[in-house]
Amino acid sequence: MRYGPAVRRRKLGAELRALRIQAGLTSGEAARRVGWHQSKVSRIETGRSGVKASDVLRLLDAFETASPRQRELIVALAGAEDAGGHNWWHAYRGLLPPSYRDFISLESQACRIRTLETSVVPGLLQTPEYARAVTRSVLAGTPEPHIEALVEVRLARQEVLRARPPLELSAVLDEGVLRREVGGPGVLRRQMAHLAEVARLPHVRIQVLPFSAGGHIGLTGPFVVFSFPNTSDLDVVVLDHLTSSLYLERKEDLMAYTEAFDALLLRSLSPEDSLEFIAEIAG
C-alpha cells in the first residue's frame, strides 16, 4: 500500500493544501522548506502524484503541524505503510492485499463506523469459528495456515471495540445474515449468542432488518461508512467487491449513503427488539 487509491490522493492533497495555507505558506515556500521543486508540491496537492509516508511527514513538519492525532490521520490517508510505527497489520504485509490493508488502516483510525451487511456477520463482530468458516468458504482451497493467519487478522481488528475510547459501531444486519448457517447450526448459534453479548456494549448498536420489511434501499448491497474525529472531510464510504474495494469520498456520495443508512435504521427493528430477535434465532 505504497499509495492509496486515486480518490485518496486527491483528498490527501486537499488536506495538505489546507494545512499549508493555514501555516501561511505558498507552495513555493513550502517546497523550499523541504528542498523540493514547487511543481512536486503542486502535483501532490492536486492528487496527480503519489506520496510516501516520509514525504508526508516532511511536509507536516514544514507546516509545523504538531497534533499527533492529526499527523497520524494524514499519514493514514496517504495509505502509508508506516503511520507511526505501531500498525500491527504490517506483520501480515505479505498475506494481505493492498485493499484490505487500506481498509484496516481506515478502521483503525475511525471514531465511528456505520455498516449495512446483507450476507455475513461483520468482521468486527465475528467469533473465531465463524470467521474461520467464512474465510474457508470465500477462499476455498487455501492452505490451512493461510486461513488461520487471516482469522488472526480478523480477530486483531476487533481490538478497536476495546480501545480507549472505543470505536462506535452501528450495524444494520439483514435477517439473512442471522439465518445463513455459515459453518453449520452450532457455529451460527454461538455466533448469535456472541452478537447478543456485544450488542449490550454502550458503543455498539445492532439493528436487524427483517424480511418483513420488504424491499429497501439496502438491496443494492452492503457498504461501510467510516467517520473520523475532528473532521468530516476524511469520511469515506467503502463498497466491497470480489477482487477490489471502491472508495467514495465525494460529499454527494457521503450524503447519499448516510441518508440511505438512516432510512435503513427506520425500517429496522429497534436495538431492543433486535436483541430479542437474535436470541430467538440462537434458541
Side-chain angles (χ1 to χ4, degrees), residues 225-241:
V225 181
F226 290 98
S227 296
F228 296 87
N230 304 322
T231 173
S232 62
D233 288 342
L234 298 184
D235 291 2
V236 58
V237 176
V238 180
L239 309 177
D240 266 341
H241 302 287

Side-chain angles (χ1 to χ4, degrees), residues 97 99-100 134-135 137-140 222 239-246:
S99 60
Y100 194 15
V134 169
T135 307
S137 299
V138 174
L139 300 175
L239 309 177
D240 266 341
H241 302 287
L242 183 61
T243 58
S244 63
S245 297
L246 177 64

Side-chain angles (χ1 to χ4, degrees), residues 3 19 21 29 32 80 101 109 112 130 169 236 244 246 262 276 283:
Y3 305 129
L19 288 172
I21 292 173
E29 289 169 339
R32 284 193 291 275
R101 298 201 303 268
Q109 299 296 326
R112 183 186 181 197
Y130 185 94
L169 175 63
V236 58
S244 63
L246 177 64
D262 290 342
E276 291 184 10

Side-chain angles (χ1 to χ4, degrees), residues 88 124 153-167:
W88 58 265
L124 292 180
V153 169
R154 189 156 303 182
L155 298 180
R157 285 171 47 201
Q158 297 175 3
E159 286 298 317
V160 295
L161 296 177
R162 294 182 282 271
R164 292 291 179 267
L167 172 78

Side-chain angles (χ1 to χ4, degrees), residues 89-239:
W89 57 89
H90 289 181
Y92 300 90
R93 189 178 309 175
L95 176 70
L96 307 178
S99 60
Y100 194 15
R101 298 201 303 268
D102 202 16
F103 187 93
I104 295 173
S105 177
L106 287 171
E107 192 174 68
S108 70
Q109 299 296 326
C111 64
R112 183 186 181 197
I113 289 178
R114 285 161 287 180
T115 181
L116 165 69
E117 186 51 72
T118 58
S119 298
V120 296
V121 172
L124 292 180
L125 302 174
Q126 292 179 6
T127 64
E129 58 180 351
Y130 185 94
R132 192 171 293 111
V134 169
T135 307
R136 284 174 178 156
S137 299
V138 174
L139 300 175
T142 300
E144 197 61 23
H146 193 132
I147 295 291
E148 289 302 319
L150 290 172
V151 171
E152 285 180 16
V153 169
R154 189 156 303 182
L155 298 180
R157 285 171 47 201
Q158 297 175 3
E159 286 298 317
V160 295
L161 296 177
R162 294 182 282 271
R164 292 291 179 267
L167 172 78
E168 293 183 16
L169 175 63
S170 180
V172 171
L173 307 183
D174 184 84
E175 183 176 339
V177 171
L178 310 181
R179 298 197 179 277
R180 183 167 289 105
E181 293 186 350
V182 175
V187 171
L188 179 62
R189 185 170 56 253
R190 288 185 288 275
Q191 174 64 69
M192 293 303 100
H194 178 69
L195 270 184
E197 180 182 347
V198 177
R200 291 183 173 86
L201 295 174
H203 53 281
V204 176
R205 181 187 180 100
I206 297 175
Q207 292 184 239
V208 175
L209 186 60
F211 290 149
S212 60
H216 54 79
I217 196 168
L219 293 176
T220 55
F223 60 85
V224 182
V225 181
F226 290 98
S227 296
F228 296 87
N230 304 322
T231 173
S232 62
D233 288 342
L234 298 184
D235 291 2
V236 58
V237 176
V238 180
L239 309 177

Side-chain angles (χ1 to χ4, degrees), residues 251-266:
K251 282 184 170 56
E252 309 93 280
D253 294 325
L254 287 164
M255 182 176 296
Y257 278 90
T258 297
E259 291 176 352
F261 190 80
D262 290 342
L264 290 168
L265 290 178
L266 294 175

